[in-house]
Amino acid sequence: MSSTESIIARCQALFDDLDFTSAREWKAAEAGRRVVGYMPIYVPREIIHAGGMLPLGIVGGGEQLEVIHGDAYYQSYICRIPRSTIELGVSGRLDFVDGMLFPSICDVIRNLSGMWKLMFPEIYVRYFDVPQNYTDSIGGNYYRNELQELREGLEEMAGIKITDEALRRSIAIYNENRRLVRQVYEYRAKQPWKAPAAEVYLLMRAGLVLPVEEHSQMLQDWLAAVEAEDRPMRDNCRVVLTGLFCEQPPLNLIKSIELSGCYVVDDDLQLVTRWLTADVPQDGDPLENLALAFLHHSESTSAKYEPDEKEKGQYLVRTVQRTGAEGVIFASPSFCDPALLDRPMLQHVLKAANIPYIAFKYAENSGQMQPIREQAGTFADSIKLWSEA
Amino acid sequence: MKCFIGIDLGSTTTKAVLMDGNQHILGRGITNSRSNYDTASRVAKQEAVVDTRMTLCRRGLAGAAGLEDGLDDFLGELERSFRLEQFLDQLGDLEATCKTQITGDRFAGVEKEVDAALVAIFDELRDTAPALFAPGAKRKSDFFRDIAGAHYLQVAEKVAKEAGLPYELLLNVYDKSIIDVENRPPSEDLTGKFVDALVRVLAATSGDGRDAGDIEQRVKDALAIELEETFVVGTGYGRVTLPFSKEHIRSEILCHGLGAHMMYPKTRTVLDIGGQDTKGIQVDASGIVENFQMNDRCAAGCGRYLGYIADEMNMGLHELGPMAMKSTRSVRINSTCTVFAGAELRDRLALGENREDILAGLHRAIILRAMSIISRSGGITDQFTFTGGVAKNEAAVRELKKLVQENYGDVTINIDPDSIYTGALGAATFAHRAVEDGAAREGVQA
Amino acid sequence: MSTKPQAAQTEVAKDDSMLKQKTMMAGHYERLTSAKETGAKTCSTFVPGNLNELIMCFDLLNNLPEVNAIQAGLRKKSGLYVMESEKLGHSEDVCTYVKSDIGMMAKGNLAPNGKALPDPDVLMLSYTGCFTFMKWFELLREQYKCPTIMLHTPYEGDGKITANMRDYMVKQLKEEVIPTLEEVSGVKFDIDRLREYLKKSALAEDDLVHVLQSAKNKPSPIDAYFGGIYYIGPIFGAFRGTDDAIDYYRTLREEVDARVAAGAGPVTPDGDMGPEKYRLIVEGPPNYTSFRDFWKMFYDEGAVVVASSYTKVGGVYDLGFRHDPDNPLESLADYCLGVYTNRNLPQRVEMLADYVEEYEADGLLINSIKSCNSFSAGQLLIMREVERRTGKPAAFIETDLVDPRYFSPANVKNRLESYFQMVDQKRASATASGVAA
């Protein structure tokens, strides 16, 4: 049986590898294989998978990538993820990627889809729109047709057919992967000292670049390994991290939060791995099933419209209650419109529910952790004092 | 003779270039920028004229008896002697100005003592002045405010102690005066100073086989050549405040492009990193700007950033490069934000990183920003010319060469030691063109 | 620099169209601010995807927070409002239209006439071309607790409107938007009334296009950016589909035709512009806090904007779209789908490059707005592409909509000057080589 250490070491290697060697090797292993990249927040990976292709999550360049040409495309008041993504593109690091999907998350990523069309005309590029209307016959119908268009686009790109049968199989495989991801999250919420936030993060990051079957195996192995190991419990408070659904924080930032006395018991990092919150039915029309799952059983986040004013932000309160968290940390990338515009509303909801919170901003290449350590440490101390009072 | 002058009014220094009708550079001048832009440009222009006179003296003395081998030495002596004259002249102005400051409550009851102290200070400054301009003497700066300031403060401390006066009093007098002195137009009598300087040099070197009479005549002839200000063009950050009409103003972008072209006719891409801004410029075969980009509102990654770092580390700006060169492994610095520079630096030092490596990382960060701006303006095409204050920094140049190689392959990189004059050279060339083109047009019409 | 004495400035003759617009706007604000007394109900919505004809079908008054923010910017009040909302916890990083609006509410929500604007009875969230709209109205909904209608406009990711997009929008209109508007207003929907309004819209749209395209003349009789902002006011705001708009655009068209006949250039705040020296295409919204100073930097140099993308943000009429009374709901859908910021980057590049050619411009100028990622994210590539396709130089300046902290006159002026001089130089060298050839 592998230890958590060896599993995480592999994840770390995947995380550090900006050339995506593992995905390149997967592609090279068989003639005709295709890789489809996607950005946050969510794409229906089942459709890509059902076409025998590898969905590859691309979430910027992290803190190690030197961005030169990417900066030439963006003003200083725009977040960093599109710059580093362009840098990955123009530096040839994505030259094995056959298609790119740009989800509907904000205007920056939306516009990047058109930039990609102009800059890389030889590959399949799609802006993947999702409904902001949650009525089955309206938003559901629209979305089912969008999924069908995506399916046809991928078929044409790869010169294959994506059958309903293959889609159902892929749905089953991803259902299992999501179940395992949820298990990891539940495990951590119960025993956060045994599942450090940075390790869970790396586990999920691996899911962006590995074939899903391999990732599911990895999650199973980790769950078994972590159960068998013992780690000391510290007197930390328990927090939920929110606002990190797109541009990723440096790994050091996640570590710093935990080192400063806050166990992370939930977060909105790598939402794509658990976007759908319930199993997607495996019989019937697979696209319809995916569409309805999106409408009625998907995560809430700042990039989605909340039609019911009374429901605004309640998902955060429920997460806090479900995980036994004692506070919320709002961490968002600088210049992130969805997160920063939403933040005051979410904070009002938390205030009404008596849940303490702090807030700060980061960039994927933030170099200074000291202010964050101080803030998180103070937050942990105040929560402890507050709960003892 | 006809002279065409370009003045580049930068945020830290003001430069001037003087060229003749054949576009030959006769002289260059530089001074520190100051609140009175008009004075700054006059001083720079005068410095270019001084340099021009030296050039004319060199031409005039070619073949003078007894100077066959010693021309360079002689001209060196002449220039040092002239500089001494100039310095003493400004010192006199500073002393007179200082004395007018002794008024008000602060000086009540000690007027006489302060006056006496000033006399003592300036006597000593005058006594030590020749040593400053002796052969081989090292000066940290050639600007009057820097030389006089450093020495005044040293001497004043001693004098204050001896006289039992508060040092702040003498400091206050100086601070108030230097600004006035700096912002006054320079004294115009160059010929007089040159003649005095010449007399001193000839007296000191009499009897070494030179024909003093011949030399004196030749120098006087060179000084007598009339330098007619045919056309002046101003450029740079402070150009809008120059008392020039529109046709005498050009944007610094155009001047930099043309200046680089004049120095290196094959230049296609120019990078200029100045104190406040970084410019990426593309020029065509005749030096015409095709495209340009500047850093956006913030001064991230400009020369000013290095200034902050130097302050933060208690080092001189010129010491940063050499220290960074000692680095064995560069530390990655992600923020080129001047506001965060200090914090990031302290963070790194606290983590136990060593100063050389941090500095190497900082230099790389600056050049990375510049590379982005070049990329924005259209990349690098052979040949590439690097200008501005940061081009003098060897660590920055090292990173630039690496990054250019990585991103654009083998490209000829030009760095002129006089690159600080690029903008002024472009402006002078525009001045020349304004007249020549006008003449050409008139010729066509006639 | 020619600065006119104050007296001369006030003597600048106001055209009939300008006076008419002033009266229209004043009347509109009067109707809004007296809604409480008159019992009128108001609907807040956005300029892009503004469904004025539909809103009028329910006797609702159209209130546009964006226009209020612009008004606050022009009257130099927005800086205070923005700071106010930052005090309330809004990030310095986000859209200043939103912050100006939120700050204005906190400060009593006063209209330009000094009276308080009414609380909206309904928020018509037509989510078109800009993600921030969604958050903006979630924020207002939190404040006002009033019914909010989401009309989701899909983005033209592939540069075309598909049947699926149109059906989706028509369904939303039929099944959600219209029933809610009926409920809020108590007025039954009458599709013939909508047709009537759409017919009027199309008439005004014809004249607007004529006015904007008059800039193809040399000299251009209008400035299609700084002046254009006034010209689009009524049709992008609360007047599309009204007789007032028809009259206004007819008057404006006649004035512009008269200027063309006289060979006259645009009217500026300092009177008639001097000789036309540069013709520009401008991409991006303007700066409103220093609007006049900004414009002056152009007309002092003899630069006229002959076409701009900002004047297409509330509808792209010059490429052929007209509201169509025969297909009312489809036509509303197509209108929303087609606004400038709902077009993908390749479409935007194409449009701007075409403008450079069609309007015989010297090049493209981008005013990059800090607040507006919808416009700004990607503009540096747009610039590159338009330069590549047209061979004409482009320039890039950075300001903000209504946050005075982001307008640096020296910086903007420096870049503009450099740009104009660059154009001069290129022209001179072109003529020289032309002579040589």
Short mmCIF file of all heavy atoms in Angstrom, two decimals, chain B residues 146-168:
data_model
loop_
_atom_site.label_atom_id
_atom_site.label_comp_id
_atom_site.label_asym_id
_atom_site.label_seq_id
_atom_site.Cartn_x
_atom_site.Cartn_y
_atom_site.Cartn_z
N ASP B 146 25.60 68.33 -5.53
CA ASP B 146 26.11 67.13 -4.86
C ASP B 146 27.49 67.38 -4.25
O ASP B 146 27.75 67.02 -3.11
CB ASP B 146 26.19 65.95 -5.84
CG ASP B 146 24.80 65.59 -6.38
OD1 ASP B 146 23.80 65.93 -5.71
OD2 ASP B 146 24.72 64.97 -7.45
N ILE B 147 28.37 68.00 -5.06
CA ILE B 147 29.74 68.21 -4.57
C ILE B 147 29.72 69.20 -3.41
O ILE B 147 30.23 68.93 -2.33
CB ILE B 147 30.67 68.78 -5.67
CG1 ILE B 147 30.49 68.01 -6.99
CG2 ILE B 147 32.12 68.74 -5.22
CD1 ILE B 147 31.29 68.60 -8.14
N ALA B 148 29.10 70.35 -3.66
CA ALA B 148 29.09 71.40 -2.64
C ALA B 148 28.37 70.90 -1.39
O ALA B 148 28.83 71.11 -0.27
CB ALA B 148 28.42 72.65 -3.18
N GLY B 149 27.25 70.23 -1.61
CA GLY B 149 26.45 69.76 -0.48
C GLY B 149 27.25 68.86 0.43
O GLY B 149 27.33 69.07 1.65
N ALA B 150 27.89 67.85 -0.17
CA ALA B 150 28.62 66.87 0.64
C ALA B 150 29.70 67.56 1.47
O ALA B 150 29.84 67.32 2.67
CB ALA B 150 29.23 65.81 -0.27
N HIS B 151 30.44 68.46 0.79
CA HIS B 151 31.54 69.11 1.50
C HIS B 151 31.05 70.09 2.55
O HIS B 151 31.58 70.17 3.65
CB HIS B 151 32.48 69.79 0.50
CG HIS B 151 33.33 68.80 -0.22
ND1 HIS B 151 34.64 68.56 0.10
CD2 HIS B 151 33.03 67.93 -1.22
CE1 HIS B 151 35.12 67.60 -0.69
NE2 HIS B 151 34.15 67.21 -1.50
N TYR B 152 30.03 70.83 2.20
CA TYR B 152 29.48 71.81 3.15
C TYR B 152 29.08 71.10 4.44
O TYR B 152 29.41 71.53 5.54
CB TYR B 152 28.27 72.52 2.53
CG TYR B 152 27.63 73.54 3.46
CD1 TYR B 152 27.94 74.89 3.35
CD2 TYR B 152 26.72 73.15 4.44
CE1 TYR B 152 27.36 75.83 4.19
CE2 TYR B 152 26.15 74.07 5.30
CZ TYR B 152 26.46 75.42 5.17
OH TYR B 152 25.89 76.32 6.02
N LEU B 153 28.37 69.99 4.29
CA LEU B 153 27.86 69.30 5.48
C LEU B 153 29.01 68.81 6.35
O LEU B 153 28.97 68.92 7.57
CB LEU B 153 26.95 68.13 5.08
CG LEU B 153 25.70 68.55 4.29
CD1 LEU B 153 24.80 67.37 4.03
CD2 LEU B 153 24.93 69.65 5.00
N GLN B 154 30.05 68.28 5.69
CA GLN B 154 31.21 67.80 6.44
C GLN B 154 31.85 68.93 7.25
O GLN B 154 32.05 68.83 8.45
CB GLN B 154 32.28 67.30 5.46
CG GLN B 154 32.29 65.80 5.28
CD GLN B 154 33.29 65.44 4.17
OE1 GLN B 154 33.97 66.31 3.62
NE2 GLN B 154 33.36 64.17 3.87
N VAL B 155 32.15 70.00 6.51
CA VAL B 155 32.88 71.12 7.13
C VAL B 155 32.01 71.80 8.18
O VAL B 155 32.48 72.16 9.26
CB VAL B 155 33.34 72.12 6.04
CG1 VAL B 155 34.04 73.31 6.68
CG2 VAL B 155 34.26 71.43 5.04
N ALA B 156 30.71 71.94 7.87
CA ALA B 156 29.81 72.65 8.78
C ALA B 156 29.74 71.94 10.13
O ALA B 156 29.66 72.59 11.18
CB ALA B 156 28.42 72.76 8.17
N GLU B 157 29.78 70.64 10.10
CA GLU B 157 29.69 69.89 11.36
C GLU B 157 30.87 70.27 12.27
O GLU B 157 30.71 70.53 13.46
CB GLU B 157 29.71 68.39 11.05
CG GLU B 157 29.21 67.56 12.21
CD GLU B 157 28.81 66.15 11.78
OE1 GLU B 157 29.17 65.75 10.63
OE2 GLU B 157 28.16 65.46 12.57
N LYS B 158 32.04 70.28 11.65
CA LYS B 158 33.26 70.61 12.38
C LYS B 158 33.20 72.06 12.90
O LYS B 158 33.41 72.31 14.09
CB LYS B 158 34.45 70.44 11.42
CG LYS B 158 35.80 70.35 12.09
CD LYS B 158 36.89 70.09 11.05
CE LYS B 158 37.04 71.32 10.19
NZ LYS B 158 37.88 71.26 9.04
N VAL B 159 32.86 72.96 11.99
CA VAL B 159 32.84 74.38 12.34
C VAL B 159 31.80 74.64 13.45
O VAL B 159 32.05 75.40 14.38
CB VAL B 159 32.54 75.24 11.09
CG1 VAL B 159 32.27 76.69 11.49
CG2 VAL B 159 33.72 75.17 10.12
N ALA B 160 30.63 73.99 13.32
CA ALA B 160 29.58 74.18 14.32
C ALA B 160 30.08 73.76 15.70
O ALA B 160 29.86 74.45 16.70
CB ALA B 160 28.34 73.37 13.93
N LYS B 161 30.74 72.62 15.73
CA LYS B 161 31.29 72.14 17.00
C LYS B 161 32.25 73.17 17.61
O LYS B 161 32.12 73.54 18.77
CB LYS B 161 32.05 70.82 16.76
CG LYS B 161 31.41 69.63 17.47
CD LYS B 161 32.36 68.48 17.60
CE LYS B 161 31.55 67.19 17.67
NZ LYS B 161 31.60 66.40 16.45
N GLU B 162 33.18 73.63 16.77
CA GLU B 162 34.20 74.56 17.26
C GLU B 162 33.56 75.85 17.74
O GLU B 162 33.99 76.43 18.74
CB GLU B 162 35.22 74.86 16.15
CG GLU B 162 36.16 73.69 15.88
CD GLU B 162 36.89 73.82 14.55
OE1 GLU B 162 36.74 74.86 13.88
OE2 GLU B 162 37.62 72.87 14.18
N ALA B 163 32.53 76.29 17.03
CA ALA B 163 31.91 77.58 17.36
C ALA B 163 30.83 77.43 18.43
O ALA B 163 30.25 78.42 18.87
CB ALA B 163 31.33 78.21 16.11
N GLY B 164 30.52 76.20 18.80
CA GLY B 164 29.46 75.98 19.78
C GLY B 164 28.09 76.36 19.25
O GLY B 164 27.21 76.77 20.00
N LEU B 165 27.91 76.22 17.95
CA LEU B 165 26.62 76.53 17.33
C LEU B 165 25.87 75.23 17.04
O LEU B 165 26.49 74.21 16.76
CB LEU B 165 26.85 77.25 15.99
CG LEU B 165 27.16 78.74 16.02
CD1 LEU B 165 27.61 79.18 14.64
CD2 LEU B 165 25.94 79.55 16.47
N PRO B 166 24.53 75.29 17.08
CA PRO B 166 23.78 74.09 16.68
C PRO B 166 24.01 73.82 15.18
O PRO B 166 23.88 74.71 14.36
CB PRO B 166 22.30 74.44 16.91
CG PRO B 166 22.29 75.77 17.60
CD PRO B 166 23.65 76.38 17.51
N TYR B 167 24.32 72.57 14.88
CA TYR B 167 24.58 72.16 13.50
C TYR B 167 23.36 72.43 12.62
O TYR B 167 23.47 72.83 11.47
CB TYR B 167 24.97 70.68 13.53
CG TYR B 167 25.16 70.01 12.19
CD1 TYR B 167 26.00 70.56 11.22
CD2 TYR B 167 24.52 68.80 11.90
CE1 TYR B 167 26.18 69.94 10.00
CE2 TYR B 167 24.70 68.16 10.68
CZ TYR B 167 25.54 68.73 9.73
OH TYR B 167 25.71 68.10 8.54
N GLU B 168 22.16 72.24 13.20
CA GLU B 168 20.92 72.42 12.41
C GLU B 168 20.83 73.82 11.81
O GLU B 168 20.32 74.00 10.72
CB GLU B 168 19.64 72.23 13.27
CG GLU B 168 19.34 70.81 13.66
CD GLU B 168 20.29 70.33 14.72
OE1 GLU B 168 20.40 71.02 15.75
OE2 GLU B 168 20.95 69.30 14.52
#
